[in-house]
Amino acid sequence: VGDTGCQTSADPQRQVSRLHLVSTAMADIASQLDPTHIVLVGDNIYENGAEGDLRTIQHVWYDSFPGAHGSLQRPWHMIQGNHDWRSDPTTQIEFTWSSLNQGGFWNLPGFWYSKRVAANDLTIDFFYVDTLVWTEGFSVLVEVGSRKSMAELKE
């Protein structure tokens, strides 16, 4: 899945967010298919990524997906998209090991990684590569690192 939806209303009459519509549809499908895991291929947190705050991921992603739907309580393997890079992209990686990652469902250990999944006598290796690291990521990472740095000299 990509583009999880934003919190703005899809229908101003009903005030139902696009995020809610996506999570409900995913929960319905997951309850039917019972997947071993869910792959999220970017734009995990709309509109501007986690904005440097782990609680944003908990509020936007957890509360809307595994926190709201039992059928979505399973491992999520993810990579980031362009909306996730609009703010500090390392925040989503850090959330993987945060105590706010309830159930440990959020799995984004780095800008590239692999996961082996076995189900029904079949083993699959998934390779996740965040290509934004090469196209725009280095300048973002330098800017974020510079802001976080406590050093007197930053080069």
Side-chain angles (χ1 to χ4, degrees):
V1 176
D3 299 297
T4 58
C6 56
Q7 296 181 65
T8 59
S9 179
D11 180 352
Q13 304 281 330
R14 294 182 13 211
Q15 293 297 311
V16 177
S17 75
R18 290 172 174 88
L19 185 66
H20 175 76
L21 295 174
V22 170
S23 68
T24 300
M26 286 181 65
D28 290 346
I29 292 168
S31 67
Q32 294 170 30
L33 300 178
D34 193 28
T36 58
H37 66 286
I38 297 168
V39 175
L40 194 51
V41 294
D43 296 348
N44 309 327
I45 308 295
Y46 263 93
E47 178 76 22
N48 296 307
E51 299 181 348
D53 189 346
L54 298 174
R55 292 168 301 182
T56 299
I57 301 170
Q58 182 184 35
H59 171 68
V60 174
W61 174 79
Y62 181 84
D63 290 352
S64 299
F65 291 94
H69 304 282
S71 63
L72 299 178
Q73 293 181 356
R74 57 195 71 241
W76 290 59
H77 304 158
M78 33 204 36
I79 205 72
Q80 297 184 80
N82 64 318
H83 284 268
D84 303 307
W85 275 82
R86 289 184 178 175
S87 62
D88 182 354
T90 61
T91 304
Q92 291 189 38
I93 293 170
E94 293 166 3
F95 189 77
T96 300
W97 297 281
S98 167
S99 61
L100 296 176
N101 185 7
Q102 297 173 33
F105 302 121
W106 179 280
N107 291 280
L108 176 55
F111 293 115
W112 50 85
Y113 64 98
S114 63
K115 286 281 187 179
R116 175 167 283 177
V117 176
N120 301 326
D121 298 324
L122 180 67
T123 301
I124 301 172
D125 287 331
F126 288 88
F127 298 91
Y128 299 87
V129 179
D130 188 338
T131 57
L132 287 169
V133 169
W134 293 298
T135 58
E136 63 186 78
F138 287 118
S139 62
V140 171
L141 292 175
V142 168
E143 179 186 330
V144 167
S146 179
R147 274 189 273 133
K148 288 183 174 181
S149 173
M150 303 294 270
E152 291 83 24
L153 181 62
K154 303 171 192 175
E155 296 197 32

